[in-house]
Amino acid sequence: MTGSEARVQVSGILAAVAREQLAVARAGIGTETTAPAAGQRVARTAVARPSEERVVDRAAVERAIGAIDRVAASVDDEIERLSVLRMKESLRLLAGPAPADATSGTVLGLAAWDGSLVFDETLVLAPLQEMYEHPGERVGDEVLRRYRFSLSEMFHQQSHLLSEAGTSYGDSAAAFADPAVRLLELGVSAAWTARHLDEYVETLGVPEIAPGIDQVELPDCYPSYLPAAVGLSEAVGERIGVPADEVLRRLNVVAPASKLPLATTLLLTASGLAQVVPPADRAAVQQQVSEQIRLPLLALATLRVDGTGERALQTTAAASGRAAVDAGVRTIEQIRRDRRN
């Protein structure tokens, strides 16, 4: 199996877990909601979002983690295989610490809710130790790819721990049970890592230690999450008049639970809606717009991807990110019209 095929298959595993969560939520609350497909007009509707304890079947999530291990084992190229294994982190954060008798192995890296960072000794830390034990030595591209992947894993996990003043990363543990929150958090971190890894490597002085490391490439992971985050950042940037990368940066430096509210705030601020909405109503408007942005992301997080190629999935994901912003903008404009009438 190629890495591309494996990443799509794992995307299906993640989506299946999310669909199961929604089924439990609906059964527990009695709310029936159908999330819209990417690109469709979003209806105003409520989505059941009970607490993490009511939604997460930890045994089922552990089985899904094991399934990802089996998919990864079928990929021959080492770095492509690692890109598949990286996608387990969302489920490990959802399930919590692995039980003592777990057979699903460990994730490559994890930003735990207590603020600690955990990295696999063999697959992440050992290549870096080898790199620093042979400074300046010329090595082949495959070795450089292992070094670069280890650095990208560290950068990726460090990004997760960022949060705005007055909050902490761990505060978002309960919100992470929402598939849309997971999608945006993992997508933003993966996109920021992929686009700024060279800067990170340069700042650490690694090119002097491992000549040529800035010339090798790595595959992206999360083919549905990453493009959606980029599409959303591009669409928000166009609306508020700043580069997409600046939107991505702003989203990257806030906690998981704050990413969707921040995207909403950026759109609301640029819209000038505050001029027609009384201060007492602004929190309700913020929630209304945020929910409409969330729905296309939720649809993508639960999308069935059987028989889909990675490129097609990436295209759908990018469109979903943009559709989320379009839904928010339509809601803002409707609120503006309603308030003026």
Side-chain angles (χ1 to χ4, degrees):
M1 184 184 297
T2 68
S4 177
E5 292 168 335
R7 285 188 292 272
V8 172
Q9 191 166 334
V10 171
S11 296
I13 294 171
L14 299 182
V17 170
R19 287 195 299 272
E20 178 62 25
Q21 284 181 261
L22 288 184
V24 172
R26 291 166 184 164
I29 293 183
T31 301
E32 278 295 334
T33 302
T34 300
Q40 289 185 338
R41 186 175 180 86
V42 182
R44 295 184 183 180
T45 182
V47 176
R49 281 189 285 179
S51 67
E52 178 187 5
E53 290 73 18
R54 292 182 60 182
V55 175
V56 179
D57 180 342
R58 286 176 170 77
V61 175
E62 290 292 343
R63 289 193 294 272
I65 292 173
I68 295 175
D69 278 324
R70 292 189 290 276
V71 172
S74 68
V75 179
D76 292 331
D77 181 88
E78 180 182 12
I79 303 304
E80 293 280 353
R81 179 173 61 85
L82 294 180
S83 76
V84 175
L85 287 174
R86 174 180 276 177
M87 295 169 68
K88 291 196 298 182
E89 67 170 322
S90 61
L91 296 185
R92 174 51 62 215
L93 282 169
L94 185 63
D101 59 350
T103 60
S104 56
T106 60
V107 291
L108 299 177
L110 193 69
W113 294 121
D114 64 3
S116 62
L117 289 170
V118 180
F119 297 104
D120 185 273
E121 290 280 349
T122 301
L123 298 174
V124 176
L125 298 182
L128 294 179
Q129 182 176 353
E130 175 187 314
M131 182 183 75
Y132 281 105
E133 287 176 348
H134 303 278
E137 184 175 310
R138 294 281 176 177
V139 296
D141 284 355
E142 287 309 303
V143 175
L144 289 173
R145 289 176 80 213
R146 287 201 299 272
Y147 295 167
R148 187 174 176 87
F149 187 90
S150 293
L151 289 162
S152 76
E153 184 61 31
M154 297 189 75
F155 187 28
H156 178 90
Q157 298 305 332
Q158 289 163 355
S159 291
H160 282 313
L161 293 182
L162 299 173
S163 62
E164 65 275 29
T167 70
S168 73
Y169 169 69
D171 293 340
S172 293
F176 204 72
D178 183 345
V181 170
R182 290 203 300 279
L183 183 150
L184 198 53
E185 173 63 20
L186 274 297
V188 166
S189 296
W192 185 259
T193 299
R195 283 149 181 74
H196 292 273
L197 182 58
D198 281 335
E199 297 170 32
Y200 180 76
V201 168
E202 182 68 29
T203 299
L204 294 176
V206 174
E208 296 180 6
I209 304 296
I213 196 170
D214 50 354
Q215 303 301 312
V216 295
E217 296 182 355
L218 302 176
D220 286 336
C221 60
Y222 292 106
S224 55
Y225 294 6
L226 187 157
V230 172
L232 182 144
S233 298
E234 290 173 346
V236 170
E238 291 164 7
R239 292 286 180 175
I240 70 174
V242 304
D245 196 63
E246 172 59 17
V247 177
L248 193 63
R249 183 196 67 79
R250 296 184 193 183
L251 292 173
N252 190 57
V253 299
V254 300
S258 301
K259 284 179 168 55
L260 182 55
L262 174 59
T264 304
T265 297
L266 293 174
L267 291 174
L268 283 170
T269 301
S271 74
L273 191 62
Q275 299 171 1
V276 295
V277 175
D281 295 343
R282 289 175 190 169
V285 167
Q286 167 92 14
Q287 180 59 36
Q288 183 179 351
V289 174
S290 183
E291 188 62 21
Q292 295 308 306
I293 295 172
R294 173 180 173 268
L295 285 175
L297 302 179
L298 179 66
L300 181 63
T302 56
L303 184 68
R304 296 182 184 277
V305 299
D306 299 343
T308 303
E310 186 171 33
R311 181 165 295 183
L313 179 55
Q314 291 168 337
T315 300
T316 297
S320 295
R322 285 184 165 274
V325 175
D326 290 344
V329 171
R330 285 196 300 271
T331 304
I332 290 171
E333 292 307 312
Q334 184 60 55
I335 293 171
R336 190 194 308 278
R337 288 191 293 269
D338 292 346
R339 292 281 176 168
R340 285 176 175 170
N341 292 336

